[in-house]
Amino acid sequence: IMVTMVYIVLNLPSFINYSVYVDLRVRGVEMIERYSSSFLWNYSWNVTFVLCVTLNSCVNPVVYLLRNRNYQKAAERSYRDIIKSAGSTGSGITKHTNVSDTSTSRL
């Protein structure tokens, strides 16, 4: 339900903008007359269809992380594995496998 609500809220400006466009077309009113300039008309489409959709895409993983227990556990395991692997590799420093052996292995 939360994901659906976020989707509806973030896509509402797109729906309103498109509804205004259809209403103006049906009544035969020039679209530019609704806004003070053609720049504002074009800008409104960019904001509603690009910015709102992008924002929705960015917010969805956060909502999933906050609401889904399995997703939380998977994210926690991934984070722990990343921290473990970063600590064990020594950030690319070579590690000697045997003190008497002069060869080194890179992890």
Side-chain angles (χ1 to χ4, degrees):
I1 293 177
M2 192 81 153
V3 173
T4 305
M5 292 304 297
V6 168
Y7 176 82
I8 290 171
V9 167
L10 290 176
N11 285 298
L12 193 61
S14 299
F15 175 75
I16 291 170
N17 203 22
Y18 196 71
S19 297
V20 167
Y21 169 75
V22 169
D23 180 51
L24 293 175
R25 293 289 290 191
V26 168
R27 290 189 294 148
V29 177
E30 207 41 54
M31 271 96 42
I32 303 301
E33 294 173 11
R34 173 92 165 94
Y35 296 89
S36 59
S37 69
S38 63
F39 172 76
L40 221 63
W41 170 253
N42 293 326
Y43 185 71
S44 71
W45 287 101
N46 288 333
V47 166
T48 57
F49 284 108
V50 175
L51 183 67
C52 291
V53 171
T54 304
L55 188 59
N56 182 38
S57 298
C58 292
V59 169
N60 277 339
V62 174
V63 172
Y64 289 141
L65 185 61
L66 294 175
R67 302 294 297 166
N68 189 342
R69 294 279 182 222
N70 293 331
Y71 197 78
Q72 288 174 355
K73 289 176 185 176
E76 188 177 315
R77 277 193 310 268
S78 296
Y79 182 69
R80 251 190 264 128
D81 290 344
I82 290 170
I83 296 298
K84 242 188 240 183
S85 68
S88 67
T89 60
S91 301
I93 298 173
T94 57
K95 180 181 175 186
H96 291 284
T97 56
N98 189 348
V99 176
S100 63
D101 189 12
T102 59
S103 66
T104 59
S105 64
R106 192 159 184 83
L107 295 177

